[in-house]
Amino acid sequence: MKKLLILFVLMAGLSIFLAARNGGEIAPECSPQDVREQGTLYEPVEIETFDSAKKSVRIRFDKIPTRVLVYEVNTLETLLAFGQGDKILSASLNTSGETYARLKKEYPEELAKIRHISQQEITREQAIAYQPDFILGWKSTFSPRRYGRTEWWQERGVNTYIVATSNHVVKCGTIEDECKFLDDMGRIFDVSEKSEALIAAIHAETESVEKSVADEKKQNVMVVEVGKSEIMNYDDGWIVGDMVRRLGGYMPVKSPSVGAEDLLAQDPDVIFVVYFNSRHREESEQFFQNVRFNSLQASRNQRIYMLPFWYMYTPAVNTLDGIRAIKKGLYPEL
């Protein structure tokens, strides 16, 4: 008996050591009752989303999810903004990074409710161990090197949701796709009053600008991201393309990447430069301060604008801020 006890302690210690070494956490046993559900009545909700093959599927919720795994920041921020921090079982966040600091400043109470924060990306094995009842993320979330295919989870009774504007799930992402995501989250978590208010604000802002600039000349726009070896180009198939189009601009460049010569040849009226953090922003600003770009009209007219990544890629609750940032770049006087 004593030998069995010693063996059990050793195995438990080894499990904790391996989890710590991999930057993950072992989820303790906790039931959905650990989180108080909102109210006693919940009308079943059917939601249309996508599977790993980008095919449309319908999922059903008979109650509010209470053991949610969230992948990527804007999906996480949406749940925090909608007051659902206590439903989040785990999320991957570097607690010493800028993203965590921003979320802590914006949603301190909700962020504190998340039951587990992993410093590194959660593995598929850890995701299984958490025993979630809902997984929310991008298409890339449900790839073999991350959580595995959506079908695998659905067969085991775990609902999965893929954001339509991620990884080119839809050919041309739109503001309305993002509004649908917000509406879906409002319905799933029974907080439609919050999602509807945000959607109404997005529509009001977009329609107001459209009316104001209806007679203005359309502006040539490029949205780029400066990398170590290339300049990535976001074409009008991304949601930022719909923002630009709806606000009176056009994005003629279709190639996924461009060179300095391409930028000079295109010579757009406005350039939005995507950045991920303060360091990347500084590097991107320095890149465009190079004398070779002095001939760009966007440089001469001081119309090169830094654009946060979370404003323009699956922006979710940051969609309104993204629209306002594009508006300010295209029409500083408005």
Side-chain angles (χ1 to χ4, degrees), residues 74-227:
N74 278 353
T75 50
L76 170 63
E77 186 170 358
T78 298
L79 297 194
L80 297 179
F82 287 176
Q84 303 303 303
D86 60 339
K87 309 300 190 306
I88 301 172
L89 183 59
S90 186
S92 299
L93 273 178
N94 176 6
T95 53
S96 61
E98 293 179 13
T99 296
Y100 181 84
R102 179 175 67 84
L103 294 179
K104 188 174 182 180
K105 180 180 179 180
E106 292 291 330
Y107 318 98
E109 294 181 1
E110 292 301 319
L111 189 65
K113 295 176 184 177
I114 298 176
R115 280 170 278 175
H116 306 101
I117 292 180
S118 176
Q119 296 293 322
Q120 297 183 11
E121 188 171 295
I122 297 169
T123 66
R124 181 180 181 183
E125 291 73 19
Q126 290 169 329
I128 294 171
Y130 278 125
Q131 299 179 10
D133 60 4
F134 182 38
I135 305 178
L136 171 63
W138 292 357
K139 179 182 179 296
S140 57
T141 305
F142 300 99
S143 61
R145 67 187 184 91
R146 290 197 173 122
Y147 291 2
R149 296 181 66 82
T150 57
E151 296 88 338
W152 189 91
W153 290 99
Q154 292 288 345
E155 288 169 0
R156 288 156 179 79
V158 180
N159 274 329
T160 57
Y161 187 104
I162 291 178
V163 180
T165 53
S166 68
N167 309 114
H168 269 320
V169 173
V170 292
K171 186 177 181 180
C172 292
T174 66
I175 293 173
E176 289 308 316
D177 287 322
E178 219 60 24
C179 288
K180 179 186 181 300
F181 167 70
L182 296 171
D183 180 61
D184 287 345
M185 295 304 106
R187 294 172 60 208
I188 291 169
F189 291 94
D190 198 21
V191 287
S192 290
E193 70 283 355
K194 294 182 179 181
S195 59
E196 289 171 0
L198 180 53
I199 292 168
I202 291 171
H203 287 160
E205 183 75 18
T206 306
E207 291 166 7
S208 173
V209 179
E210 284 179 321
K211 291 179 181 178
S212 299
V213 303
D215 297 325
E216 297 285 341
K217 179 183 176 181
K218 292 191 178 299
Q219 301 180 61
N220 183 339
V221 177
M222 288 186 70
V223 181
V224 299
E225 174 193 316
V226 178

Side-chain angles (χ1 to χ4, degrees), residues 214-254:
D215 297 325
E216 297 285 341
K217 179 183 176 181
K218 292 191 178 299
Q219 301 180 61
N220 183 339
V221 177
M222 288 186 70
V223 181
V224 299
E225 174 193 316
V226 178
K228 292 183 179 180
S229 59
E230 66 176 3
I231 306 171
M232 179 176 176
N233 174 63
Y234 290 90
D235 61 27
D236 58 4
W238 299 102
I239 184 174
V240 69
D242 190 47
M243 291 180 179
V244 169
R245 182 169 52 250
R246 295 280 297 273
L247 302 185
Y250 68 100
M251 299 166 65
V253 181
K254 306 300 181 185

Side-chain angles (χ1 to χ4, degrees), residues 5 13 19 28 42 85 105 130 139 222 234 281 296 316 327 331:
L5 180 60
Y42 182 78
K105 180 180 179 180
Y130 278 125
K139 179 182 179 296
M222 288 186 70
Y234 290 90
R281 173 173 181 155
L296 284 172
K327 178 186 74 172
Y331 312 101

